[in-house]
Amino acid sequence: MIPHFEVGEDFARAMDERDPLKHFRERFHFPEIGGCNGVYLCGHSLGLQPKTVSSYIEEALKDWADLAVEGHFQAQHPWMPYHRLLSEQTAELVGAKPIEVVVMNSLTVNLHLMMVSFYRPTRTRHKILAERGAFPSDQYALQSQIRFHGFDPATSLVELTPLPGEFCLREEEILSLIERSGDEIALIMLGGVNYATGQAFDMEHITRAGHAHGCVVGFDLAHAAGNLELELHDWGPDFAVWCSYKYLNGGPGCIAGCFVHERHAHALELPRFAGWWGHDEKSRFKMGPEFRPMPGAEGWQVSNPPIVSLAALRASMDIFHEAGMPALRAKSISLTAYLEFLLNRVASKKVSIITPVNSEQRGAQLSIRMSQNGRTIYEKLAQEGIVGDWREPDTFRVAPVPLYNSYGDVYRFVERFAEGVG
Ligand SMILES: Cc1ncc(COP(=O)(O)O)c(C=O)c1O
């Protein structure tokens, strides 16, 4: 439940004192710019480094130094099955069964691998339904897959567009488009949370509507994993992909995540781009010529994974497991509502929040549209260590992250922001 908010720093201090998750803040390195007056609200872009990351990586480096190739089997945490150290916690994070998840590659690579298997256009059903203005990498991936199959994005890519004068999509518009054109849509491929507006989609409804019309349904959860409570198994999309460097704090370019619903776990006939790490582990080292995939999401692995990156991610996932998504989400809803409450008092025609007001339709991020001097204000704040990010042409995105941000951070951000806006 969202508490009653008050203006003034004392209120922020009191909320922080009462916060049951407040001790997690101490477990992260904060950037030094701005010193103790700095505020980091950019976890939607790059999450902060958990202080334990170095010891997890140290362990892997030491095993490499001491054991070299033997580390595959004799390391403290042997490298051969190392990625499985993340299976349970990744499954918990996204509401899946362990067989449905794997950490591998990067987000866009995983999106391509998933589309190889799940975008199977035919002459009558060749369209992909996506958001207009989806993250560019997704747009490029979708367009290139369409062309790869000999179709034309101009006719095969259907983009959901907000109504004139609006910034977010209306759920009824999404569902009605699926209702109208579902029989021509091969794949529905949406973000769980739109990167620009911060709008969260109702993945359960969309999946149900898509499946009712015979569409395959996939989600890009770059801005949803570690931000929203997800129930992927129950909601039932065919696949999902996400990165681990935003809310998941795995570090720049960290190994990414992938979900393939259990109903496809044994669909060995699905076409896929294969590599030896997806091959049945019992016979992988027999080095035979015939590919036999592992059951479940692991069967989509291609290469042996980067252990150092997995180690960094483990450090963060251990913290997520300890804090638990329900508690994190409860704090996030309150913290973001507090940010909204304070921003709404910055009485100015120059700024407006384009993220939905309803907490069920957003995560931690608020996107602030700035009609004047937005970029200058953003840059000035960044120099003082007040960090959000800027998306051309006019959007200042900020996200108070419940693991390490405080009500005091939000208060200080809005105080400086208001001064900048004038
Ligand atoms: C929504 C979304 N999709 C895709 C990407 C691209 O991710 P990667 O470079 O890890 O493939 C990003 C990166 O920020 C993103 O925000």
Side-chain angles (χ1 to χ4, degrees):
M1 208 186 51
I2 301 201
H4 163 75
F5 298 124
E6 293 171 21
V7 294
E9 200 166 4
D10 288 350
F11 177 79
R13 217 172 285 127
M15 289 297 282
D16 282 331
E17 268 161 33
R18 250 185 277 151
D19 173 11
L21 300 177
K22 64 181 173 210
H23 53 286
F24 283 104
R25 183 179 174 87
E26 303 307 320
R27 310 241 199 127
F28 290 86
H29 290 290
F30 280 77
E32 284 183 1
I33 177 166
C36 54
N37 293 322
V39 177
Y40 192 79
L41 297 185
C42 210
H44 58 285
S45 181
L46 184 73
L48 294 181
Q49 184 186 134
K51 290 180 181 168
T52 43
V53 161
S54 50
S55 62
Y56 282 67
I57 290 182
E58 243 340 288
E59 178 198 297
L61 292 180
K62 186 162 177 355
D63 283 336
W64 177 23
D66 293 351
L67 301 166
V69 72
E70 300 299 338
H72 282 108
F73 298 97
Q74 287 170 24
Q76 199 172 330
H77 295 98
W79 304 331
M80 277 293 295
Y82 197 99
H83 62 281
R84 292 228 178 88
L85 296 172
L86 287 147
S87 303
E88 288 282 342
Q89 293 182 0
T90 302
E92 176 181 284
L93 182 89
V94 297
K97 298 186 175 182
I99 194 173
E100 294 176 314
V101 294
V102 64
V103 282
M104 59 182 191
N105 313 311
S106 315
L107 192 165
T108 312
V109 173
N110 289 343
L111 179 55
H112 275 299
L113 292 177
M114 289 294 99
M115 284 198 283
V116 164
S117 295
F118 294 109
Y119 176 51
R120 310 295 306 153
T122 64
R123 210 171 45 77
T124 51
R125 190 192 275 275
H126 53 85
K127 297 187 177 173
I128 300 181
L129 180 65
E131 308 135 87
R132 192 190 68 176
F135 192 82
S137 198
D138 293 32
Q139 296 187 47
Y140 307 151
L142 300 183
Q143 291 165 13
S144 63
Q145 287 278 340
I146 288 170
R147 288 200 186 94
F148 177 74
H149 286 283
F151 293 92
D152 179 357
T155 44
S156 293
L157 188 59
V158 181
E159 294 185 312
L160 289 156
T161 309
L163 294 176
E166 297 188 8
F167 296 94
C168 294
L169 293 167
R170 294 187 181 207
E171 193 187 318
E172 62 268 23
E173 296 287 326
I174 303 175
L175 297 178
S176 114
L177 203 148
I178 295 171
E179 187 64 36
R180 284 196 316 275
S181 311
D183 295 349
E184 298 167 1
I185 295 172
L187 171 66
I188 296 172
M189 184 62 228
L190 300 176
V193 174
N194 180 278
Y195 87 99
T197 63
Q199 177 180 16
F201 296 112
D202 187 331
M203 292 177 247
E204 185 176 14
H205 267 150
I206 292 169
T207 302
R208 207 179 305 138
H211 283 171
H213 287 273
C215 316
V216 172
V217 182
F219 291 108
D220 173 347
L221 303 178
H223 292 263
N227 181 16
L228 302 178
E229 282 187 89
L230 302 168
E231 293 295 341
L232 292 185
H233 177 79
D234 289 346
W235 296 345
D238 297 281
F239 70 89
V241 290
W242 59 92
C243 57
S244 310
Y245 43 77
K246 300 178 188 295
Y247 295 97
L248 295 183
N249 312 315
C254 182
I255 192 159
C258 185
F259 164 91
V260 179
H261 197 276
E262 192 181 30
R263 77 176 79 88
H264 303 298
H266 301 281
L268 306 184
E269 74 290 355
L270 275 177
R272 63 182 93 192
F273 283 175
W276 74 317
W277 226 252
H279 184 89
D280 178 17
E281 63 186 340
K282 289 189 218 85
S283 58
R284 189 181 292 149
F285 284 89
K286 295 212 167 101
M287 305 306 213
E290 201 183 309
F291 177 72
R292 203 166 340 107
M294 298 275 296
E298 287 194 22
W300 271 268
Q301 295 173 104
V302 178
S303 301
N304 79 104
I307 299 300
V308 170
S309 188
L310 285 170
L313 184 57
R314 267 183 70 216
S316 178
M317 293 299 287
D318 282 351
I319 298 176
F320 266 91
H321 177 65
E322 198 182 326
M325 270 318 291
L328 287 168
R329 177 68 174 140
K331 175 175 170 187
S332 177
I333 288 172
S334 169
L335 203 54
T336 304
Y338 177 59
L339 171 62
E340 180 181 49
F341 166 80
L342 292 180
L343 281 173
N344 283 339
R345 301 180 71 84
V346 180
S348 169
K349 293 206 177 77
K350 295 182 220 161
V351 298
S352 58
I353 299 171
I354 60 170
T355 309
V357 173
N358 182 344
S359 64
E360 304 224 320
Q361 292 172 11
R362 69 186 186 198
Q365 174 187 324
L366 292 185
S367 298
I368 310 164
R369 191 159 167 261
M370 320 266 300
S371 61
Q372 282 172 36
N373 304 328
R375 186 162 191 125
T376 312
I377 295 165
Y378 151 75
E379 281 170 358
K380 185 165 180 306
L381 292 183
Q383 277 164 14
E384 297 172 21
I386 314 276
V387 185
D389 73 3
W390 182 255
R391 284 287 171 263
E392 294 297 346
D394 57 12
T395 307
F396 196 167
R397 302 186 309 169
V398 284
V401 168
L403 253 183
Y404 49 71
N405 282 126
S406 64
Y407 290 83
D409 286 341
V410 169
Y411 180 86
R412 275 197 303 285
F413 166 75
V414 179
E415 191 182 45
R416 297 294 301 113
F417 178 80
E419 280 170 32
V421 171

